[in-house]
Amino acid sequence: MNSLVVVGASLAGLKAVESARKAGFEGSVTLIGAEPHLPYDRPPLSKDFLDNAEPVVPYYRLRHEMADLGVTLRLGTPATGLDTDDRTVRVGRDVVEYDSLIIATGARASMVPGADGLGGVHTLRTLDDARAVRAALDAGARTVVIGAGFIGSEVASSARKRGLPVTLVEALPTPLVRAVGPVMGSACSSLHVANGADLRCGVAVSAIEGTGSVERVRLSDGSVIEADLVVIGVGAAPATDWLEGSGILVNNGVVCDSYLCTSAPGVYAAGDVARWYNSTFARLMRLEHWTSAQEQGAVAGRNAVDPTNAEPYSTVPYFWSDWYGSRIQFVGVPEGEDFEIFGSVREGRMLALYGNGDHVTGALALNRQPDIMKLRALIDRQTDWREAVAFAAKRATSWLG
Ligand code: FAD
């Protein structure tokens, strides 16, 4: 095994490179990235990068630090094809050979049909997107956010912090249902209303019309909203188009076993693009969370350079989101019939537990960082529902008056 190639120069890709080197791999390492930038951190793009007086680009490592890793960087040109028989990746006119390959191409933000190319309409996935959104906020944009998911909510929060008028348009009757269930979706989205955003649920976008200087957002209820900035936050899709014809099994992401091995020998996947067998929940999962992307990158990097000692990866999913000065954290899955809440959004502190009639499956915390990781451990151990509720109740008595 002489050469490792990693496609996707972001969190999972960089962690893969770092862990391959940490595992003692001395062969050649090539990191291929579609964006022209060095790997950077995405979560701040919808938080500090929009809020701080001076936006700082959150690069993970500077160029000389990348050089210390002994990695050949091929930035600014996407991989366009993969031949798993010849073990080659096509990049522009070049063909890059590999012994082991890691697919870490993440996900791409979805667009509302017909809105692409309108000057005031942006998704928020990349540094370039964030720069455009930031510039519009700096100019005092009247803002419409399509999709009241986590990224849309963070943008709305940033715009409201600046005192700008914000309308959030959500097609579902309650935001965030898939991510945290209906009760918590409703509770979390009440933060928008409390902070002066105009939240409109159960309405779809019929069209976005550009007039040159102002965008007009037409909704299914017949209303029209004028905006200087429209941010589309309707989700993301795994970036797998370049794998077409490669024979790699793709089904809502690159399908992997618990070792992050894809259907082709010597090819691994990690991060938002990977749909892998998570033995903790005994099912295939694809997450779009920072923590799992970096952990998967590290595991895939080690497994790729030392396959005889390969280790499986399993986890209790974890993500966080920051809105209006509050931190929302979620662990596990929002499944099951059992549900308990302690505290409330109004009190500024809240814990919610989800259970399946037997054990605890998920937990949400609002401004309760000390509790959430303990709950994550209880979910990992498949702790009995009543025991988990007793734990949360005890914690809550320490912070509820
Ligand atoms: P990505 O970060 O998507 O990187 C994939 C890279 O591959 C990209 O640079 C892309 O250009 C490149 N690429 C794609 N196709 C090709 C190709 N054919 N050839 C070469 N390169 C290619 N998670 C949380 O848990 N909490 C948060 O608060 C949070 N906030 C977020 C805020 C924003 C604005 C965004 C966008 C994401 C946020 N996330 C958050 C999610 C987290 O950032 C992602 O889970 C993480 O970035 C995934 O890392 P990745 O390396 O798998 O993929």
Side-chain angles (χ1 to χ4, degrees), residues 335-339 353-362 385:
E335 293 173 359
E337 296 302 305
D338 293 323
F339 187 68
L353 294 193
Y354 306 69
N356 65 2
D358 177 24
H359 56 267
V360 58
T361 57
W385 170 246

Short mmCIF file of all heavy atoms in Angstrom, two decimals, residues 335-339 353-362 385:
data_model
loop_
_atom_site.label_atom_id
_atom_site.label_comp_id
_atom_site.label_asym_id
_atom_site.label_seq_id
_atom_site.Cartn_x
_atom_site.Cartn_y
_atom_site.Cartn_z
N GLU A 335 -37.05 9.08 18.14
CA GLU A 335 -38.01 8.02 17.82
C GLU A 335 -38.64 7.43 19.07
O GLU A 335 -38.08 7.52 20.16
CB GLU A 335 -37.29 6.89 17.06
CG GLU A 335 -36.81 7.35 15.71
CD GLU A 335 -35.96 6.32 15.01
OE1 GLU A 335 -35.70 5.23 15.58
OE2 GLU A 335 -35.53 6.61 13.89
N GLY A 336 -39.78 6.77 18.87
CA GLY A 336 -40.46 6.08 19.96
C GLY A 336 -41.66 6.85 20.47
O GLY A 336 -41.83 8.02 20.19
N GLU A 337 -42.48 6.14 21.23
CA GLU A 337 -43.73 6.71 21.74
C GLU A 337 -43.51 7.49 23.03
O GLU A 337 -44.30 8.36 23.38
CB GLU A 337 -44.73 5.57 22.03
CG GLU A 337 -45.15 4.79 20.80
CD GLU A 337 -45.77 5.68 19.74
OE1 GLU A 337 -46.73 6.39 20.08
OE2 GLU A 337 -45.27 5.69 18.60
N ASP A 338 -42.47 7.16 23.76
CA ASP A 338 -42.26 7.80 25.07
C ASP A 338 -41.61 9.17 24.90
O ASP A 338 -40.69 9.33 24.08
CB ASP A 338 -41.35 6.93 25.94
CG ASP A 338 -42.02 5.63 26.32
OD1 ASP A 338 -43.24 5.65 26.56
OD2 ASP A 338 -41.32 4.60 26.34
N PHE A 339 -42.06 10.11 25.71
CA PHE A 339 -41.54 11.47 25.59
C PHE A 339 -41.72 12.19 26.93
O PHE A 339 -42.79 12.12 27.51
CB PHE A 339 -42.30 12.19 24.47
CG PHE A 339 -41.75 13.53 24.15
CD1 PHE A 339 -40.51 13.66 23.57
CD2 PHE A 339 -42.48 14.68 24.44
CE1 PHE A 339 -39.99 14.91 23.28
CE2 PHE A 339 -41.96 15.93 24.15
CZ PHE A 339 -40.72 16.04 23.57
N LEU A 353 -36.62 14.02 26.57
CA LEU A 353 -36.16 12.63 26.36
C LEU A 353 -37.12 11.91 25.44
O LEU A 353 -38.33 12.12 25.50
CB LEU A 353 -36.13 11.85 27.68
CG LEU A 353 -35.15 12.26 28.76
CD1 LEU A 353 -35.08 11.16 29.82
CD2 LEU A 353 -33.78 12.49 28.17
N TYR A 354 -36.58 11.05 24.59
CA TYR A 354 -37.36 10.22 23.67
C TYR A 354 -37.07 8.77 24.00
O TYR A 354 -35.91 8.40 24.22
CB TYR A 354 -36.93 10.48 22.21
CG TYR A 354 -36.96 11.93 21.78
CD1 TYR A 354 -36.05 12.85 22.29
CD2 TYR A 354 -37.88 12.36 20.83
CE1 TYR A 354 -36.07 14.17 21.87
CE2 TYR A 354 -37.90 13.68 20.41
CZ TYR A 354 -37.00 14.58 20.93
OH TYR A 354 -37.00 15.90 20.54
N GLY A 355 -38.13 7.94 24.02
CA GLY A 355 -37.92 6.53 24.35
C GLY A 355 -38.84 5.63 23.54
O GLY A 355 -39.87 6.08 23.03
N ASN A 356 -38.48 4.36 23.45
CA ASN A 356 -39.24 3.44 22.59
C ASN A 356 -40.04 2.39 23.37
O ASN A 356 -40.25 1.28 22.89
CB ASN A 356 -38.30 2.75 21.59
CG ASN A 356 -37.31 1.86 22.30
OD1 ASN A 356 -37.34 1.72 23.52
ND2 ASN A 356 -36.42 1.26 21.53
N GLY A 357 -40.44 2.74 24.58
CA GLY A 357 -41.21 1.81 25.39
C GLY A 357 -40.32 0.88 26.19
O GLY A 357 -40.78 0.19 27.10
N ASP A 358 -39.06 0.89 25.87
CA ASP A 358 -38.11 0.01 26.53
C ASP A 358 -36.93 0.85 27.04
O ASP A 358 -36.71 1.00 28.24
CB ASP A 358 -37.66 -1.05 25.51
CG ASP A 358 -36.63 -1.97 26.07
OD1 ASP A 358 -36.59 -2.10 27.30
OD2 ASP A 358 -35.86 -2.56 25.27
N HIS A 359 -36.19 1.46 26.09
CA HIS A 359 -35.04 2.25 26.53
C HIS A 359 -35.06 3.66 25.92
O HIS A 359 -35.85 3.95 25.01
CB HIS A 359 -33.73 1.54 26.21
CG HIS A 359 -33.57 1.19 24.77
ND1 HIS A 359 -33.94 -0.03 24.25
CD2 HIS A 359 -33.09 1.89 23.74
CE1 HIS A 359 -33.68 -0.06 22.97
NE2 HIS A 359 -33.18 1.10 22.62
N VAL A 360 -34.15 4.49 26.42
CA VAL A 360 -34.06 5.87 25.93
C VAL A 360 -33.37 5.86 24.56
O VAL A 360 -32.37 5.15 24.36
CB VAL A 360 -33.32 6.77 26.95
CG1 VAL A 360 -31.92 6.24 27.26
CG2 VAL A 360 -33.25 8.22 26.49
N THR A 361 -33.92 6.62 23.59
CA THR A 361 -33.36 6.61 22.23
C THR A 361 -32.77 7.96 21.83
O THR A 361 -31.94 8.03 20.92
CB THR A 361 -34.45 6.27 21.19
OG1 THR A 361 -35.52 7.22 21.34
CG2 THR A 361 -35.00 4.87 21.39
N GLY A 362 -33.27 9.05 22.46
CA GLY A 362 -32.78 10.36 22.05
C GLY A 362 -32.97 11.38 23.16
O GLY A 362 -33.71 11.14 24.13
N TRP A 385 -35.81 3.16 30.02
CA TRP A 385 -36.50 4.45 29.90
C TRP A 385 -36.70 5.11 31.27
O TRP A 385 -36.39 6.29 31.46
CB TRP A 385 -37.85 4.24 29.19
CG TRP A 385 -38.77 5.41 29.20
CD1 TRP A 385 -39.97 5.49 29.81
CD2 TRP A 385 -38.57 6.68 28.56
NE1 TRP A 385 -40.53 6.72 29.61
CE2 TRP A 385 -39.68 7.48 28.84
CE3 TRP A 385 -37.54 7.21 27.78
CZ2 TRP A 385 -39.83 8.78 28.38
CZ3 TRP A 385 -37.67 8.52 27.32
CH2 TRP A 385 -38.80 9.29 27.61
#
